[in-house]
Amino acid sequence: MHYYSTSNRELKSTLKEAVLRGLAPDRGLYMPSSVPVLDRKTMEGFRNMELPAIAVTLSNALFGSDIPESELTRLTEEAINFDTPLVQVDEGLYALELFHGPTLAFKDVGARFLARLLAYFTRALDEDIHVLVATSGDTGSAVANGFLDVEGIKVHVLYPSGGVTPLQEKQFTTLGSNITALEVNGSFDDCQRLVKECFMDEELGGQMKLTSANSINLARFLPQAFYYFRAWAQLEPGTKAFFSVPSGNYGNMTAGLVAREMGLPVHTFLSVNNLNKVVASYLLTGKYSPRPSIPTIANAMDVGDPSNFDRILDLFDHQHERITRHLHGYSYTDKEIREVIAEVYREKGYLCDPHGATGYRAAQTYRKEHPELTGIFLETAHPAKFIEHVEGVIGTAMELPERLAAFADREKQAVFIQPDYKEFKEYLLNRI
Ligand SMILES: *Cc1c(COP(=O)(O)O)cnc(C)c1O
């Protein structure tokens, strides 16, 4: 299969090139030139499978023409080694729990898959590959943990100083080995800009092999299509469902849209934002106006210029009218998010994290107008990851899952830098 650039559909690359480069040479994003459409029998087979088995089938369908089946199966099984159960929260309303991986967030799916695919493609190289990743929270921990000790790969995690929770910070600043954390004296957008500048810098590119582990890398966002199928497979046959997707960089949403292209029956998608509502505004007005991001308690959605938005435009040939047929926009303030967490906990006995809470509210709202549909909201992280917000809202102490508690005791190690490209480049050149 070939992958084209969203900036120029004639510019085609192999899977290997696309995964190694992250961003296309013309700065567009890679998209699959065609996606396999699953037949009825394959889909029905999913009903008896958990995520790991579904993932193997789907990764062979997507990437099977580029990687031998035995290798692909092995690396997929290694990467996707946990399930994503559907949990009923209310009548006709389900949480798709995506947080059962090692760092308790959905980004484990894409990050673990990308790490192994990258390692597969670079095994024969005699120089290190440098993975650059900007994080507003969970990406850093998922990517760092996904790549930890993978040979031949060095990871540099950039994060906004004071912009991630203490626990999130611990998850990527305490690993050591091939993982370095850079604490940037600026915002998440600054971090993302520094990473983007590296990829445009031909001189730097000539001196070291760079790639991105942000959801601009297609091997990170595409595997996220797997769990949309897993959600469907857990519903009663014939159920008409929609997905409510708490969104930041829109990798998760793009994966859902690709799943739909692969034949997944989806009634509609809810595009859910916090106060950073550039996409909600676009859906209303047809105008896309990126803005500096605003900090919220759902910080993994604090994105002012979503990097996958071009992929969504591309999927619908840049036609606003077609996009709004499939995507409905919602956005919530921190106050509303807190209300949802408290209400759902009190009335349904289910504890949402701040991101999932936005998805819940949008799904509940949409379902009021469409009671015949079943709503699935993506629970993108374990609530304990945001313990400092959640505990205050529910008024009860929470116990930290062991996997998280283990990080809290370790010592932070980070390189402090200004949001200055020259300084960042110098740091990188010193790491060759
Ligand atoms: C990254 C993240 C999101 C946003 O996902 P995108 O794919 O960037 O839209 C939502 N919730 C949590 C917990 C996240 O970590």
Side-chain angles (χ1 to χ4, degrees):
M1 175 149 47
H2 280 96
Y3 295 85
Y4 64 81
S5 160
T6 50
S7 302
N8 175 5
R9 287 194 184 180
E10 300 308 312
L11 197 71
K12 294 196 172 112
S13 298
T14 61
L15 177 63
K16 180 175 175 177
E17 281 163 354
V19 171
L20 292 190
R21 294 195 59 111
L23 208 60
D26 65 352
R27 298 169 199 178
L29 303 175
Y30 285 112
M31 285 294 277
S33 55
S34 65
V35 292
V37 178
L38 304 177
D39 57 42
R40 198 77 220 154
K41 195 163 151 259
T42 308
M43 292 275 298
E44 288 302 323
F46 289 165
R47 294 204 185 273
N48 306 314
M49 296 179 186
E50 293 199 344
L51 185 68
I54 292 176
V56 167
T57 305
L58 291 173
S59 85
N60 276 293
L62 278 168
F63 307 118
S65 56
D66 298 277
I67 301 171
E69 188 179 337
S70 59
E71 290 276 4
L72 189 53
T73 297
R74 185 190 51 77
L75 78 84
T76 306
E77 282 173 344
E78 250 179 60
I80 317 296
N81 57 357
F82 51 91
D83 196 21
T84 51
L86 202 58
V87 175
Q88 184 156 19
V89 177
D90 200 353
E91 197 199 329
L93 204 54
Y94 294 80
L96 179 64
E97 292 189 345
L98 302 177
F99 55 71
H100 296 277
T103 72
L104 308 176
F106 82 92
K107 292 191 174 72
D108 283 329
V109 172
R112 292 174 63 78
F113 191 89
L114 169 62
R116 282 151 188 84
L117 198 60
L118 207 52
Y120 167 78
F121 280 133
T122 56
R123 225 183 286 164
L125 285 183
D126 56 5
E127 65 178 309
D128 283 337
I129 286 257
H130 294 263
V131 173
L132 305 182
V133 54
T135 183
S136 61
D138 280 348
T139 306
S141 55
V143 169
N145 286 274
F147 280 86
L148 183 62
D149 295 329
V150 174
E151 228 171 283
I153 296 181
K154 290 214 166 85
V155 179
H156 311 274
V157 182
L158 289 83
Y159 71 102
S161 183
V164 304
T165 72
L167 201 56
Q168 283 177 329
E169 189 178 33
K170 287 272 178 156
Q171 288 180 84
F172 53 77
T173 57
T174 61
L175 295 168
S177 183
N178 58 332
I179 315 294
T180 309
L182 291 113
E183 182 173 1
V184 178
N185 189 19
S187 66
F188 170 65
D189 294 332
D190 287 322
C191 299
Q192 223 168 9
R193 178 177 49 77
L194 290 176
V195 168
K196 272 196 180 159
E197 277 188 58
C198 288
F199 292 112
M200 296 177 194
D201 185 337
E202 282 170 22
E203 190 208 358
L204 184 68
Q207 296 189 58
M208 60 201 295
K209 276 221 168 340
L210 295 171
T211 191
S212 158
N214 277 86
S215 51
I216 57 173
N217 198 306
L218 79 105
R220 233 197 85 193
F221 94 87
L222 269 182
Q224 295 176 172
F226 302 165
Y227 49 68
Y228 284 89
F229 284 91
R230 172 64 175 135
W232 171 86
Q234 291 170 86
L235 294 170
E236 285 296 317
T239 306
K240 279 208 177 99
F242 65 88
F243 286 96
S244 177
V245 188
S247 293
N249 264 318
Y250 279 78
N252 217 352
M253 176 67 85
T254 309
L257 294 169
V258 170
R260 191 183 144 270
E261 303 244 303
M262 293 174 76
L264 186 76
V266 181
H267 184 275
T268 193
F269 290 93
L270 310 186
S271 154
V272 192
N273 297 144
N274 55 24
L275 273 182
N276 296 279
K277 49 186 178 185
V278 281
V279 176
S281 306
Y282 165 80
L283 291 169
L284 275 180
T285 64
K287 284 206 194 75
Y288 181 71
S289 329
R291 265 169 237 159
S293 60
I294 307 162
T296 76
I297 61 167
N299 70 4
M301 294 156 63
D302 294 351
V303 182
D305 186 5
S307 52
N308 283 290
F309 189 64
D310 278 341
R311 285 195 162 111
I312 295 178
L313 290 176
D314 182 79
L315 275 168
F316 295 107
D317 292 324
H318 292 253
Q319 293 174 33
H320 178 253
E321 182 264 328
R322 278 186 62 201
I323 295 177
T324 54
R325 225 182 296 151
H326 296 280
L327 258 60
H328 299 278
Y330 293 83
S331 69
Y332 299 101
T333 63
D334 279 359
K335 181 164 172 283
E336 289 168 315
I337 294 172
R338 289 198 174 92
E339 280 165 11
V340 177
I341 297 173
E343 174 192 309
V344 180
Y345 184 65
R346 193 177 58 234
E347 292 174 14
K348 311 294 170 201
Y350 189 84
L351 189 54
C352 291
D353 92 290
H355 308 80
T358 67
Y360 173 89
R361 185 62 97 214
Q364 184 195 39
T365 307
Y366 188 75
R367 210 179 158 267
K368 278 197 190 123
E369 296 151 31
H370 305 272
E372 74 287 5
L373 300 177
T374 292
I376 298 172
F377 69 98
L378 274 46
E379 232 321 342
T380 45
H382 191 292
K385 294 197 88 165
F386 304 93
I387 194 164
E388 62 285 348
H389 298 303
V390 173
E391 272 187 342
V393 170
I394 61 171
T396 313
M398 270 185 90
E399 197 153 335
L400 222 47
E402 211 171 298
R403 245 177 283 173
L404 280 184
F407 284 105
D409 302 331
R410 298 199 211 149
E411 200 182 326
K412 164 183 161 181
Q413 279 185 314
V415 179
F416 193 81
I417 62 165
Q418 297 303 321
D420 172 53
Y421 181 62
K422 259 205 203 130
E423 188 178 332
F424 181 45
K425 181 172 174 178
E426 201 175 289
Y427 153 85
L428 280 176
L429 288 171
N430 281 326
R431 304 286 306 211
I432 301 178

